[in-house]
Amino acid sequence: MLKKMKEEIELLSRHIEVARTVAEHQPIGIMKLSEILDLPSHRIRYSLHVLEQLGYIRASPEGAVATAQTRELFAHLNEDLDDIIRLVNAMKRP
């Protein structure tokens, strides 16, 4: 159970890094993202697909671009992550 949770967090981390890189370098294509993040293009492609489905990025003829929803995500990211950390810490035994 915890192994699956760790894998999901690692995947979420990658999606966030892809979204952050798109926002910083937009418009940007898969190959440039792959180069910047040092990840295989198939992983970048999957993250872009997920982010597009969730509304965080959109495709353009020049490459991926961030949406207003991405700016909102990053505006509250630290607070949202702190909430998750509190929940996980509450599961620990003293």
Side-chain angles (χ1 to χ4, degrees), residues 3-17:
K3 181 180 177 190
K4 180 68 175 162
M5 187 170 109
K6 182 179 181 225
E7 290 169 356
E8 290 295 323
I9 291 169
E10 289 168 347
L11 184 58
L12 174 63
S13 176
R14 186 178 83 216
H15 294 336
I16 288 171
E17 280 305 306

mmCIF file with all atom_site columns, all heavy atoms in Angstrom, residues 3-17:
data_model
loop_
_atom_site.group_PDB
_atom_site.id
_atom_site.type_symbol
_atom_site.label_atom_id
_atom_site.label_alt_id
_atom_site.label_comp_id
_atom_site.label_asym_id
_atom_site.label_entity_id
_atom_site.label_seq_id
_atom_site.pdbx_PDB_ins_code
_atom_site.Cartn_x
_atom_site.Cartn_y
_atom_site.Cartn_z
_atom_site.occupancy
_atom_site.B_iso_or_equiv
_atom_site.pdbx_formal_charge
_atom_site.auth_seq_id
_atom_site.auth_comp_id
_atom_site.auth_asym_id
_atom_site.auth_atom_id
_atom_site.pdbx_PDB_model_num
ATOM 1   N N   . LYS A 1 3  ? 3.999  1.494  -0.876  1.00 0.00 ? 3  LYS A N   1
ATOM 2   C CA  . LYS A 1 3  ? 4.803  1.536  -2.105  1.00 0.00 ? 3  LYS A CA  1
ATOM 3   C C   . LYS A 1 3  ? 4.015  2.221  -3.217  1.00 0.00 ? 3  LYS A C   1
ATOM 4   O O   . LYS A 1 3  ? 4.559  3.056  -3.948  1.00 0.00 ? 3  LYS A O   1
ATOM 5   C CB  . LYS A 1 3  ? 5.194  0.118  -2.526  1.00 0.00 ? 3  LYS A CB  1
ATOM 6   C CG  . LYS A 1 3  ? 6.033  0.082  -3.765  1.00 0.00 ? 3  LYS A CG  1
ATOM 7   C CD  . LYS A 1 3  ? 6.391  -1.335 -4.153  1.00 0.00 ? 3  LYS A CD  1
ATOM 8   C CE  . LYS A 1 3  ? 7.188  -1.308 -5.452  1.00 0.00 ? 3  LYS A CE  1
ATOM 9   N NZ  . LYS A 1 3  ? 7.371  -2.624 -6.014  1.00 0.00 ? 3  LYS A NZ  1
ATOM 10  N N   . LYS A 1 4  ? 2.744  1.894  -3.349  1.00 0.00 ? 4  LYS A N   1
ATOM 11  C CA  . LYS A 1 4  ? 1.892  2.510  -4.366  1.00 0.00 ? 4  LYS A CA  1
ATOM 12  C C   . LYS A 1 4  ? 1.753  4.012  -4.106  1.00 0.00 ? 4  LYS A C   1
ATOM 13  O O   . LYS A 1 4  ? 1.803  4.821  -5.034  1.00 0.00 ? 4  LYS A O   1
ATOM 14  C CB  . LYS A 1 4  ? 0.521  1.829  -4.370  1.00 0.00 ? 4  LYS A CB  1
ATOM 15  C CG  . LYS A 1 4  ? -0.440 2.392  -5.381  1.00 0.00 ? 4  LYS A CG  1
ATOM 16  C CD  . LYS A 1 4  ? -0.007 2.089  -6.789  1.00 0.00 ? 4  LYS A CD  1
ATOM 17  C CE  . LYS A 1 4  ? -1.054 2.566  -7.775  1.00 0.00 ? 4  LYS A CE  1
ATOM 18  N NZ  . LYS A 1 4  ? -0.551 2.684  -9.111  1.00 0.00 ? 4  LYS A NZ  1
ATOM 19  N N   . MET A 1 5  ? 1.590  4.396  -2.839  1.00 0.00 ? 5  MET A N   1
ATOM 20  C CA  . MET A 1 5  ? 1.469  5.810  -2.484  1.00 0.00 ? 5  MET A CA  1
ATOM 21  C C   . MET A 1 5  ? 2.755  6.560  -2.853  1.00 0.00 ? 5  MET A C   1
ATOM 22  O O   . MET A 1 5  ? 2.709  7.661  -3.413  1.00 0.00 ? 5  MET A O   1
ATOM 23  C CB  . MET A 1 5  ? 1.184  5.957  -0.992  1.00 0.00 ? 5  MET A CB  1
ATOM 24  C CG  . MET A 1 5  ? 0.884  7.371  -0.559  1.00 0.00 ? 5  MET A CG  1
ATOM 25  S SD  . MET A 1 5  ? 0.288  7.411  1.130   1.00 0.00 ? 5  MET A SD  1
ATOM 26  C CE  . MET A 1 5  ? 1.678  8.143  1.931   1.00 0.00 ? 5  MET A CE  1
ATOM 27  N N   . LYS A 1 6  ? 3.898  5.952  -2.582  1.00 0.00 ? 6  LYS A N   1
ATOM 28  C CA  . LYS A 1 6  ? 5.181  6.575  -2.923  1.00 0.00 ? 6  LYS A CA  1
ATOM 29  C C   . LYS A 1 6  ? 5.305  6.751  -4.432  1.00 0.00 ? 6  LYS A C   1
ATOM 30  O O   . LYS A 1 6  ? 5.747  7.807  -4.910  1.00 0.00 ? 6  LYS A O   1
ATOM 31  C CB  . LYS A 1 6  ? 6.337  5.726  -2.392  1.00 0.00 ? 6  LYS A CB  1
ATOM 32  C CG  . LYS A 1 6  ? 7.693  6.333  -2.667  1.00 0.00 ? 6  LYS A CG  1
ATOM 33  C CD  . LYS A 1 6  ? 8.808  5.475  -2.097  1.00 0.00 ? 6  LYS A CD  1
ATOM 34  C CE  . LYS A 1 6  ? 10.134 6.130  -2.382  1.00 0.00 ? 6  LYS A CE  1
ATOM 35  N NZ  . LYS A 1 6  ? 11.135 5.228  -2.860  1.00 0.00 ? 6  LYS A NZ  1
ATOM 36  N N   . GLU A 1 7  ? 4.908  5.757  -5.206  1.00 0.00 ? 7  GLU A N   1
ATOM 37  C CA  . GLU A 1 7  ? 4.962  5.847  -6.662  1.00 0.00 ? 7  GLU A CA  1
ATOM 38  C C   . GLU A 1 7  ? 4.062  6.967  -7.175  1.00 0.00 ? 7  GLU A C   1
ATOM 39  O O   . GLU A 1 7  ? 4.432  7.695  -8.103  1.00 0.00 ? 7  GLU A O   1
ATOM 40  C CB  . GLU A 1 7  ? 4.563  4.516  -7.293  1.00 0.00 ? 7  GLU A CB  1
ATOM 41  C CG  . GLU A 1 7  ? 5.591  3.422  -7.084  1.00 0.00 ? 7  GLU A CG  1
ATOM 42  C CD  . GLU A 1 7  ? 5.085  2.043  -7.479  1.00 0.00 ? 7  GLU A CD  1
ATOM 43  O OE1 . GLU A 1 7  ? 3.895  1.897  -7.862  1.00 0.00 ? 7  GLU A OE1 1
ATOM 44  O OE2 . GLU A 1 7  ? 5.883  1.089  -7.389  1.00 0.00 ? 7  GLU A OE2 1
ATOM 45  N N   . GLU A 1 8  ? 2.884  7.111  -6.571  1.00 0.00 ? 8  GLU A N   1
ATOM 46  C CA  . GLU A 1 8  ? 1.958  8.176  -6.972  1.00 0.00 ? 8  GLU A CA  1
ATOM 47  C C   . GLU A 1 8  ? 2.536  9.556  -6.661  1.00 0.00 ? 8  GLU A C   1
ATOM 48  O O   . GLU A 1 8  ? 2.387  10.493 -7.445  1.00 0.00 ? 8  GLU A O   1
ATOM 49  C CB  . GLU A 1 8  ? 0.601  8.004  -6.294  1.00 0.00 ? 8  GLU A CB  1
ATOM 50  C CG  . GLU A 1 8  ? -0.191 6.822  -6.810  1.00 0.00 ? 8  GLU A CG  1
ATOM 51  C CD  . GLU A 1 8  ? -0.598 6.974  -8.271  1.00 0.00 ? 8  GLU A CD  1
ATOM 52  O OE1 . GLU A 1 8  ? -0.929 8.101  -8.695  1.00 0.00 ? 8  GLU A OE1 1
ATOM 53  O OE2 . GLU A 1 8  ? -0.577 5.959  -8.982  1.00 0.00 ? 8  GLU A OE2 1
ATOM 54  N N   . ILE A 1 9  ? 3.207  9.682  -5.522  1.00 0.00 ? 9  ILE A N   1
ATOM 55  C CA  . ILE A 1 9  ? 3.832  10.960 -5.153  1.00 0.00 ? 9  ILE A CA  1
ATOM 56  C C   . ILE A 1 9  ? 4.968  11.284 -6.116  1.00 0.00 ? 9  ILE A C   1
ATOM 57  O O   . ILE A 1 9  ? 5.130  12.439 -6.535  1.00 0.00 ? 9  ILE A O   1
ATOM 58  C CB  . ILE A 1 9  ? 4.307  10.938 -3.687  1.00 0.00 ? 9  ILE A CB  1
ATOM 59  C CG1 . ILE A 1 9  ? 3.093  10.915 -2.755  1.00 0.00 ? 9  ILE A CG1 1
ATOM 60  C CG2 . ILE A 1 9  ? 5.222  12.124 -3.384  1.00 0.00 ? 9  ILE A CG2 1
ATOM 61  C CD1 . ILE A 1 9  ? 3.429  10.639 -1.307  1.00 0.00 ? 9  ILE A CD1 1
ATOM 62  N N   . GLU A 1 10 ? 5.752  10.278 -6.490  1.00 0.00 ? 10 GLU A N   1
ATOM 63  C CA  . GLU A 1 10 ? 6.832  10.500 -7.449  1.00 0.00 ? 10 GLU A CA  1
ATOM 64  C C   . GLU A 1 10 ? 6.271  10.937 -8.804  1.00 0.00 ? 10 GLU A C   1
ATOM 65  O O   . GLU A 1 10 ? 6.819  11.835 -9.453  1.00 0.00 ? 10 GLU A O   1
ATOM 66  C CB  . GLU A 1 10 ? 7.682  9.240  -7.591  1.00 0.00 ? 10 GLU A CB  1
ATOM 67  C CG  . GLU A 1 10 ? 8.524  8.966  -6.357  1.00 0.00 ? 10 GLU A CG  1
ATOM 68  C CD  . GLU A 1 10 ? 9.149  7.578  -6.339  1.00 0.00 ? 10 GLU A CD  1
ATOM 69  O OE1 . GLU A 1 10 ? 8.754  6.706  -7.158  1.00 0.00 ? 10 GLU A OE1 1
ATOM 70  O OE2 . GLU A 1 10 ? 10.041 7.359  -5.501  1.00 0.00 ? 10 GLU A OE2 1
ATOM 71  N N   . LEU A 1 11 ? 5.165  10.329 -9.228  1.00 0.00 ? 11 LEU A N   1
ATOM 72  C CA  . LEU A 1 11 ? 4.528  10.705 -10.483 1.00 0.00 ? 11 LEU A CA  1
ATOM 73  C C   . LEU A 1 11 ? 3.984  12.136 -10.406 1.00 0.00 ? 11 LEU A C   1
ATOM 74  O O   . LEU A 1 11 ? 4.168  12.945 -11.324 1.00 0.00 ? 11 LEU A O   1
ATOM 75  C CB  . LEU A 1 11 ? 3.408  9.720  -10.824 1.00 0.00 ? 11 LEU A CB  1
ATOM 76  C CG  . LEU A 1 11 ? 2.693  9.914  -12.151 1.00 0.00 ? 11 LEU A CG  1
ATOM 77  C CD1 . LEU A 1 11 ? 3.666  9.857  -13.323 1.00 0.00 ? 11 LEU A CD1 1
ATOM 78  C CD2 . LEU A 1 11 ? 1.613  8.855  -12.304 1.00 0.00 ? 11 LEU A CD2 1
ATOM 79  N N   . LEU A 1 12 ? 3.337  12.460 -9.300  1.00 0.00 ? 12 LEU A N   1
ATOM 80  C CA  . LEU A 1 12 ? 2.833  13.816 -9.091  1.00 0.00 ? 12 LEU A CA  1
ATOM 81  C C   . LEU A 1 12 ? 3.980  14.823 -9.133  1.00 0.00 ? 12 LEU A C   1
ATOM 82  O O   . LEU A 1 12 ? 3.861  15.896 -9.736  1.00 0.00 ? 12 LEU A O   1
ATOM 83  C CB  . LEU A 1 12 ? 2.091  13.906 -7.755  1.00 0.00 ? 12 LEU A CB  1
ATOM 84  C CG  . LEU A 1 12 ? 1.629  15.287 -7.328  1.00 0.00 ? 12 LEU A CG  1
ATOM 85  C CD1 . LEU A 1 12 ? 0.620  15.844 -8.316  1.00 0.00 ? 12 LEU A CD1 1
ATOM 86  C CD2 . LEU A 1 12 ? 1.035  15.233 -5.937  1.00 0.00 ? 12 LEU A CD2 1
ATOM 87  N N   . SER A 1 13 ? 5.099  14.475 -8.525  1.00 0.00 ? 13 SER A N   1
ATOM 88  C CA  . SER A 1 13 ? 6.267  15.354 -8.534  1.00 0.00 ? 13 SER A CA  1
ATOM 89  C C   . SER A 1 13 ? 6.729  15.627 -9.965  1.00 0.00 ? 13 SER A C   1
ATOM 90  O O   . SER A 1 13 ? 7.051  16.767 -10.326 1.00 0.00 ? 13 SER A O   1
ATOM 91  C CB  . SER A 1 13 ? 7.389  14.720 -7.716  1.00 0.00 ? 13 SER A CB  1
ATOM 92  O OG  . SER A 1 13 ? 8.552  15.501 -7.778  1.00 0.00 ? 13 SER A OG  1
ATOM 93  N N   . ARG A 1 14 ? 6.738  14.590 -10.791 1.00 0.00 ? 14 ARG A N   1
ATOM 94  C CA  . ARG A 1 14 ? 7.130  14.767 -12.184 1.00 0.00 ? 14 ARG A CA  1
ATOM 95  C C   . ARG A 1 14 ? 6.140  15.666 -12.921 1.00 0.00 ? 14 ARG A C   1
ATOM 96  O O   . ARG A 1 14 ? 6.541  16.571 -13.651 1.00 0.00 ? 14 ARG A O   1
ATOM 97  C CB  . ARG A 1 14 ? 7.250  13.421 -12.896 1.00 0.00 ? 14 ARG A CB  1
ATOM 98  C CG  . ARG A 1 14 ? 7.803  13.595 -14.311 1.00 0.00 ? 14 ARG A CG  1
ATOM 99  C CD  . ARG A 1 14 ? 7.987  12.298 -15.034 1.00 0.00 ? 14 ARG A CD  1
ATOM 100 N NE  . ARG A 1 14 ? 6.724  11.887 -15.628 1.00 0.00 ? 14 ARG A NE  1
ATOM 101 C CZ  . ARG A 1 14 ? 6.316  10.635 -15.715 1.00 0.00 ? 14 ARG A CZ  1
ATOM 102 N NH1 . ARG A 1 14 ? 7.029  9.658  -15.226 1.00 0.00 ? 14 ARG A NH1 1
ATOM 103 N NH2 . ARG A 1 14 ? 5.165  10.352 -16.298 1.00 0.00 ? 14 ARG A NH2 1
ATOM 104 N N   . HIS A 1 15 ? 4.857  15.446 -12.705 1.00 0.00 ? 15 HIS A N   1
ATOM 105 C CA  . HIS A 1 15 ? 3.849  16.281 -13.362 1.00 0.00 ? 15 HIS A CA  1
ATOM 106 C C   . HIS A 1 15 ? 4.023  17.748 -12.969 1.00 0.00 ? 15 HIS A C   1
ATOM 107 O O   . HIS A 1 15 ? 3.929  18.646 -13.811 1.00 0.00 ? 15 HIS A O   1
ATOM 108 C CB  . HIS A 1 15 ? 2.433  15.820 -13.007 1.00 0.00 ? 15 HIS A CB  1
ATOM 109 C CG  . HIS A 1 15 ? 2.059  14.471 -13.520 1.00 0.00 ? 15 HIS A CG  1
ATOM 110 N ND1 . HIS A 1 15 ? 2.647  13.865 -14.604 1.00 0.00 ? 15 HIS A ND1 1
ATOM 111 C CD2 . HIS A 1 15 ? 1.129  13.594 -13.080 1.00 0.00 ? 15 HIS A CD2 1
ATOM 112 C CE1 . HIS A 1 15 ? 2.098  12.677 -14.817 1.00 0.00 ? 15 HIS A CE1 1
ATOM 113 N NE2 . HIS A 1 15 ? 1.171  12.495 -13.901 1.00 0.00 ? 15 HIS A NE2 1
ATOM 114 N N   . ILE A 1 16 ? 4.293  17.993 -11.699 1.00 0.00 ? 16 ILE A N   1
ATOM 115 C CA  . ILE A 1 16 ? 4.486  19.366 -11.221 1.00 0.00 ? 16 ILE A CA  1
ATOM 116 C C   . ILE A 1 16 ? 5.734  19.980 -11.863 1.00 0.00 ? 16 ILE A C   1
ATOM 117 O O   . ILE A 1 16 ? 5.717  21.139 -12.287 1.00 0.00 ? 16 ILE A O   1
ATOM 118 C CB  . ILE A 1 16 ? 4.550  19.413 -9.679  1.00 0.00 ? 16 ILE A CB  1
ATOM 119 C CG1 . ILE A 1 16 ? 3.154  19.148 -9.107  1.00 0.00 ? 16 ILE A CG1 1
ATOM 120 C CG2 . ILE A 1 16 ? 5.099  20.750 -9.185  1.00 0.00 ? 16 ILE A CG2 1
ATOM 121 C CD1 . ILE A 1 16 ? 3.117  18.952 -7.609  1.00 0.00 ? 16 ILE A CD1 1
ATOM 122 N N   . GLU A 1 17 ? 6.809  19.210 -11.964 1.00 0.00 ? 17 GLU A N   1
ATOM 123 C CA  . GLU A 1 17 ? 8.030  19.719 -12.593 1.00 0.00 ? 17 GLU A CA  1
ATOM 124 C C   . GLU A 1 17 ? 7.805  20.023 -14.068 1.00 0.00 ? 17 GLU A C   1
ATOM 125 O O   . GLU A 1 17 ? 8.300  21.035 -14.584 1.00 0.00 ? 17 GLU A O   1
ATOM 126 C CB  . GLU A 1 17 ? 9.187  18.739 -12.415 1.00 0.00 ? 17 GLU A CB  1
ATOM 127 C CG  . GLU A 1 17 ? 9.842  18.820 -11.070 1.00 0.00 ? 17 GLU A CG  1
ATOM 128 C CD  . GLU A 1 17 ? 10.326 20.229 -10.739 1.00 0.00 ? 17 GLU A CD  1
ATOM 129 O OE1 . GLU A 1 17 ? 11.085 20.838 -11.531 1.00 0.00 ? 17 GLU A OE1 1
ATOM 130 O OE2 . GLU A 1 17 ? 9.931  20.757 -9.690  1.00 0.00 ? 17 GLU A OE2 1
#
